[in-house]
Amino acid sequence: MRVIAVEEHMTTEAFLRVAHGLDVVPGDETEMDLMRTVENTAGFRARLADLDARLREMDALGQDMAVLSLNPPGVQPYPAADAVPLAREFNDALAAIVRRHPGRFGGLATVAPQDPVAAAAEIERAMGPLGLNGIMINSHTGGRYLDEPEFAPLLAAAEANRAPIYLHPRAPSMFAAYREYGMPGAIWGYQAEAGLHAMRLILSGTLDRHPGLTVVLGHLGEGIPYWLRRIDNRHAFAARTAGAATPMPRLSLTPSEYFRRNFVITTSGIDDPDVLALALRAVGEDNIMFAIDSPYEDPASAVAFLRSMPLTDDQRTAIGHRTAERVFGIAETETETETETETAPGSGGIHTA
């Protein structure tokens, strides 16, 4: 079975040397102090930057391909004048890595939403000359969200260039309420922030204006699949009763219909058979992709979960590689060639149901 993992973070030493010397926009200092501490930790920095070691690990696990993305929160905490050229430089480096390792690495470009026009141009360059597979945006930028009018050029470019947007979490914009108890990060704040952003895109009418947009959510949908029936129910109730008290755009579809049409979810960080079973019922295997969230999660555990989960052959094929090939434009023949020549995936422990 081919295995493609699609939320796999990395960085380069060149990027870190520049980024760690930049000023951070007001409000993002606490998050960036934490991320710079993580990135300066010797063992973790090596896991982010040493792609030769990552290939060896992939080979050992029978993982054929990783779709790489810049370690969050990317360039979004920096002033636009710094973020725009830094994004271009990183994307050039990422494209060179992908070219050196065809069939083993794909890439999601980073952009600077601080300058939506420049971000739109970078999306076109990333999907065109650079040959990358999509973009990653780390939720809010300075407390602003992609449904807001200023980001229309970015969304239009993503739709026009068939660039999936991986909407990755970061520390919530409403940081004060999450400050204590470790809540700003992955315990709770990350999924709350990314789920909020996705719901803003759905409820704002943004997906009526950009019906061809594809948005990818990690962590099996950031909690939204669990809530879909209630979201539809309460949205219909609010639309009937709230009136002028809470103005709501008139939508062409129900919230769950947008979620199933415009969103694809990944398994990153949730190796839970019950949650995956719920996600399969909610959105189907053709809207779910395998992801590890490397190096923040254990690759061996994630790959073992994919292989041992009681799935049908079609479900395992879709989650393991087929959906990723479709969403990110990954050539199936290319990965087949690399699998035959460079890797020897194991096949033990696969069960069908």
Side-chain angles (χ1 to χ4, degrees), residues 142-215:
R144 308 299 299 272
Y145 293 87
L146 292 175
D147 60 280
E148 299 180 54
E150 67 195 84
F151 298 110
L154 187 161
L155 296 183
E159 186 178 27
N161 290 279
R162 300 171 64 88
I165 298 176
Y166 203 123
L167 193 61
H168 190 273
R170 63 175 299 192
S173 60
M174 299 174 290
F175 188 78
Y178 295 85
R179 188 181 303 276
E180 289 83 18
Y181 321 126
M183 288 177 60
I187 295 173
W188 190 254
Y190 281 2
Q191 66 86 14
E193 168 63 32
L196 167 68
H197 201 149
M199 289 305 302
R200 289 182 64 102
L201 289 172
I202 292 170
L203 298 179
S204 63
T206 298
L207 299 176
D208 283 335
R209 297 188 292 276
H210 302 284
L213 196 65
T214 297
V215 181

